[in-house]
Every structure is written in C-alpha cells, then in structure tokens.
C-alpha cells in the first residue's frame, strides 16, 4: 500500500511513504507523522518492528481526536494529561483508523524499551548521550532552557527523524 491511501474513514486517512513511514491526514491536511523503526535486539530483548511519533502529540491533534474540534495549537504539545486519557486517545485513534493501519499494528504509547531504542536512533551501538547528540540543548527542552512552553519539533531530530516524547513505564503504569 506504499504511497497510496489505504481507505477513507471519517475523512481521516493513513498513508505509507516509500520509507514505510506513516502519515495521518484529515481532509488532506497532515496531522501527524510516525516513523518506522526496524526491530532488533536491544538490551538483551528482541524488539519487533514498530512506529513511533516523530514529535509529541499537539493540542490541535488531541482536540481533533478527543473532541472532534479544531481547538488547540498545532505547534504546542498537549500537557497535563494522565495515562487513562492517553489510552482513551489511542483507543479513539484506533477506532478511526484501524482498517487503514498495516496488519498487526495499533496506536499505543511506546514502551520504555521502544523509546530508548528509537532514541538510540534504532541502533543498539549508538554512542550519543542524548537522542541524536552529545549536547542536550541541541536536541531537548529541559528546565534550564524552557518554562515548559515550547514549540514542538524545533530542536534537532535524531537520525530516525524523531523528537522528545512520553513513555509508558510498565512498572508503575505512568507516563
């Protein structure tokens, strides 16, 4: 199905490009991109292939999926939400797009192991201290360079093309 629409449901469309990356569009407007990560052995575990968002979920995307509204900023990440709300978001997105996703895939928040492997650029031998750099300010927002109000995807991505994101800590089921 690469490069073509898989089908159309609620005007939400999922497409794959020639690198197997996934795009979600609404009425032909790109809402969100997901990067394909080829599975491999990492931290003595075998990871299957998976997709991970290229950036954090924005207020705008959250509003469109959760409330069918155009409220929210398309450049600011959604904040102050709990794991139950994140799971509800993923469930709604799955209901809207399930027939359009590659076989065996569904939207979930990445596990800690998936995020670490993606942060290591899909390469267990990657030596970068931070996701794509040895200099934190090149790739990340943190307490010393933001007041938590930053525009997503303005720092450098890693080699896979991804930016910071939440992870699910399976030990305490929190993000």
């Amino acid at each position: 199905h690469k490069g073509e629409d898989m089908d159309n449901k609620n005007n939400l469309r999922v497409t794959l490009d020639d690198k197997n990356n996934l795009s979600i569009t609404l009425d032909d407007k790109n809402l969100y991109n997901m990067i394909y990560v080829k599975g491999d052995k990492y931290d003595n575990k075998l990871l299957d292939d998976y997709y991970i968002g290229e950036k954090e979920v924005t207020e705008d995307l959250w509003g469109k999926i959760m409330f069918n509204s155009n409220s929210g900023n398309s450049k600011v990440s959604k904040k102050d939400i709990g794991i139950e709300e994140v799971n509800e978001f993923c469930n709604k997105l799955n209901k809207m797009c399930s027939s359009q996703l590659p076989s065996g895939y569904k939207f979930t928040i990445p596990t800690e192991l998936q995020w670490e492997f993606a942060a290591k650029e899909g390469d267990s031998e990657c030596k970068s201290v931070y996701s794509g750099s040895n200099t934190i300010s090149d790739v990340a927002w943190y307490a010393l360079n933001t007041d938590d109000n930053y525009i997503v995807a303005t720092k450098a991505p890693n080699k896979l093309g991804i930016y910071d994101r939440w992870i699910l800590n399976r030990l305490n089921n929190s993000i």
Side-chain angles (χ1 to χ4, degrees), residues 118-134:
K120 291 282 187 185
E121 303 175 329
D123 179 0
S124 58
E125 303 298 317
C126 178
K127 303 295 185 211
S128 295
V129 176
Y130 305 103
S131 182
S133 177
N134 288 326

Side-chain angles (χ1 to χ4, degrees), residues 3 11 18 39-40 46 49 63 88 96-97 117 126 138 145 155-156 161 163 165 174-175:
N11 297 322
D18 59 351
D40 200 352
L46 186 59
D49 299 355
E88 182 182 355
M96 297 168 111
C97 300
F117 186 64
C126 178
D138 290 347
N145 72 354
K155 294 290 184 173
Y163 305 82
R165 76 199 65 289
S174 64
I175 52 177

Side-chain angles (χ1 to χ4, degrees):
H1 299 288
K2 291 179 183 169
E4 59 187 67
D5 298 329
M6 293 185 192
D7 72 7
N8 187 354
K9 187 175 187 180
N10 298 328
N11 297 322
L12 205 61
R13 202 172 283 161
V14 176
T15 57
L16 293 175
D17 68 15
D18 59 351
K19 293 180 184 174
N20 212 27
N21 294 325
L22 186 144
S23 292
I24 302 168
T25 59
L26 178 64
D27 298 325
D28 296 323
K29 180 184 176 205
N30 190 328
L31 292 179
Y32 199 68
N33 296 317
M34 299 192 76
I35 306 299
Y36 174 76
V37 181
K38 178 82 175 140
D40 200 352
K41 189 172 183 179
Y42 180 70
D43 199 28
N44 295 317
K45 295 178 179 72
L46 186 59
L47 278 171
D48 291 330
D49 299 355
Y50 61 99
Y51 289 91
I52 191 165
E54 76 170 348
K55 62 184 177 186
E56 296 168 288
V57 170
T58 62
E59 291 176 350
D60 180 55
L61 177 60
W62 183 269
K64 282 179 172 53
I65 301 304
M66 296 297 283
F67 308 111
N68 196 25
S69 77
N70 288 325
S71 62
N73 190 322
S74 65
K75 297 180 181 186
V76 176
S77 66
K78 179 66 178 152
K79 297 175 183 65
D80 301 322
I81 51 177
I83 189 68
E84 296 84 14
E85 292 166 298
V86 173
N87 284 330
E88 182 182 355
F89 174 85
C90 290
N91 289 337
K92 284 186 176 194
L93 200 50
N94 283 320
K95 285 179 185 173
M96 297 168 111
C97 300
S98 63
S99 66
Q100 302 178 64
L101 294 174
S103 180
Y105 288 89
K106 67 179 184 175
F107 294 103
T108 63
I109 192 165
T111 65
E112 187 171 4
L113 196 62
Q114 287 172 326
W115 169 236
E116 286 179 11
F117 186 64
K120 291 282 187 185
E121 303 175 329
D123 179 0
S124 58
E125 303 298 317
C126 178
K127 303 295 185 211
S128 295
V129 176
Y130 305 103
S131 182
S133 177
N134 288 326
T135 306
I136 191 170
S137 60
D138 290 347
V139 294
W141 295 107
Y142 57 102
L144 297 178
N145 72 354
T146 185
D147 61 359
D148 204 31
N149 291 311
Y150 56 88
I151 297 174
V152 298
T154 53
K155 294 290 184 173
N158 72 6
K159 286 181 184 174
L160 289 176
I162 60 171
Y163 305 82
D164 292 337
R165 76 199 65 289
W166 298 334
I167 60 165
L168 175 63
N169 182 333
R170 298 247 182 233
L171 296 177
N172 63 14
N173 208 29
S174 64
I175 52 177

